[in-house]
Amino acid sequence: SNFKNFAKNIDANTIKLGIDAIDKKVRITTGMLVAFLAAPGAGKSSAAFGILNTLSNSGEKAMFFSMDMGADQVFQRLIQRHTNHQSDTILDAYATDKKHIVEDYEQKLSENYKNIKFCFKTSMTPEMIRAIVEQEFLTTGSYPKMILLDYLECIRTEVADPTQSKAIAALALKDIANEFGINVFLLTQPTKLAGGPAGE
């Protein structure tokens, strides 16, 4: 049965995020939809970069769907993460063609994210995400162990109501996790509330 295979290979099906507080208390596996909830600006994307780095350095394939930040922002932040250089320093190195510094930046990205595929399409539907994952299998012969989506509120469905739309998107993503036997890791944030503090 599928469960017997899953259980026999539980170590291979377990995903370590590189976050001790989670890794020691919760078993995250393939076939799961995991929602990582935090307020805007709380560091969800930074946590995501750490997870991708951990997976890649463990030899695991993953895909990162950045529907919020563009490629330039993401790669600048990844360089900052691995060099502690400020954004002005990084931009100046490229602007003034400091080849040895730029080569160092690009080598660090290549070393730390060699097993990660990046997708920067915006306003994607669950069906579009599914198609990209299926294409990855057709191209490489294997599925990624995880797809990491930044973030739920950017996923488009045919439903106008935001709460219903998020629920429909989450269910469709859970189907992707089940069918392909991969982990779908979803960044999300609390709904912004309207009204005053006296309201429910």
Side-chain angles (χ1 to χ4, degrees):
S1 73
N2 286 342
F3 176 69
K4 182 186 270 189
N5 289 333
F6 174 81
K8 281 179 75 171
N9 297 292
I10 191 59
D11 287 345
N13 288 317
T14 297
I15 295 170
K16 296 292 184 189
L17 304 180
I19 304 170
D20 282 347
I22 297 174
D23 289 337
K24 288 178 179 173
K25 293 180 181 174
V26 182
R27 185 187 290 275
I28 293 176
T29 69
T30 54
M32 272 187 180
L33 171 68
V34 177
F36 193 75
L37 174 72
K44 292 185 297 296
S45 296
S46 293
F49 298 150
I51 291 166
L52 294 170
N53 188 202
T54 297
L55 283 169
S56 185
N57 287 341
S58 301
E60 302 290 1
K61 285 172 49 177
M63 300 182 85
F64 179 54
F65 291 81
S66 182
M67 291 171 271
D68 186 35
M69 283 189 288
D72 295 336
Q73 287 174 289
V74 167
F75 291 124
Q76 180 181 311
R77 287 186 59 180
L78 293 177
I79 291 168
Q80 285 177 281
R81 176 183 184 86
H82 294 283
T83 63
N84 292 320
H85 289 183
Q86 297 299 313
S87 60
D88 287 347
T89 304
I90 295 166
L91 296 172
D92 178 69
Y94 281 91
T96 58
D97 201 24
K98 292 180 178 155
K99 284 193 172 71
H100 65 288
I101 297 176
V102 168
E103 284 170 6
D104 181 59
Y105 291 161
E106 293 180 356
Q107 185 175 346
K108 281 184 166 59
L109 292 183
S110 177
E111 285 172 0
N112 285 286
Y113 302 94
K114 61 182 173 291
N115 294 306
I116 309 301
K117 295 253 175 95
F118 292 86
C119 179
F120 296 100
K121 293 180 181 174
T122 58
S123 192
M124 295 189 76
T125 65
E127 293 75 23
M128 292 164 73
I129 293 165
R130 172 190 288 274
I132 289 171
V133 173
E134 287 177 327
Q135 185 58 49
E136 176 67 9
F137 179 79
L138 291 172
T139 304
T140 68
S142 64
Y143 291 108
K145 193 155 195 178
M146 174 189 282
I147 61 171
L148 199 156
L149 301 145
D150 188 11
Y151 56 107
L152 173 61
E153 287 71 14
C154 295
I155 297 171
R156 183 170 49 88
T157 69
E158 300 304 315
V159 178
D161 179 77
T163 303
Q164 285 183 333
S165 180
K166 284 189 280 189
I168 288 167
L171 288 170
L173 293 168
K174 177 58 181 158
D175 283 342
I176 291 171
N178 283 341
E179 288 175 36
F180 300 144
I182 64 178
N183 182 277
V184 176
F185 198 94
L186 187 58
L187 305 186
T188 184
Q189 57 194 33
T191 305
K192 293 181 178 73
L193 296 176
E200 287 188 22

